[in-house]
Amino acid sequence: MQTTYSVEGMTCGHCAASVKEEVSEISGVTGVDVDVDSGAVVVSSDSKLDTATVDAAVVEAGYRLVS
């Protein structure tokens, strides 16, 4: 299953790496692709993820999930 989230505040490769690292630690996540230019974070997972869990990981990385 793939879900795309929009993240605000990423400006560089380091930003993308931080978000990828935190989101990758969520149980059930099998892959994370980050596009800094668009702010898109595509998360592959075994099952549907709770948006609040993804939001918490993005906040831990220092950014903000937008709807």
Side-chain angles (χ1 to χ4, degrees):
M1 166 176 270
Q2 282 193 334
T3 309
T4 302
Y5 301 92
S6 293
V7 175
E8 186 176 76
M10 296 185 300
T11 58
C12 65
H14 177 73
C15 299
S18 296
V19 170
K20 184 173 184 172
E21 179 181 342
E22 291 296 334
V23 174
S24 292
E25 293 179 4
I26 298 170
S27 178
V29 169
T30 58
V32 180
D33 290 312
V34 180
D35 183 325
V36 173
D37 294 332
S38 68
V41 177
V42 180
V43 181
S44 300
S45 58
D46 295 331
S47 59
K48 183 168 173 53
L49 299 173
D50 180 45
T51 302
T53 302
V54 177
D55 182 48
V58 169
V59 167
E60 182 67 28
Y63 305 95
R64 191 169 89 90
L65 202 65
V66 292
S67 48

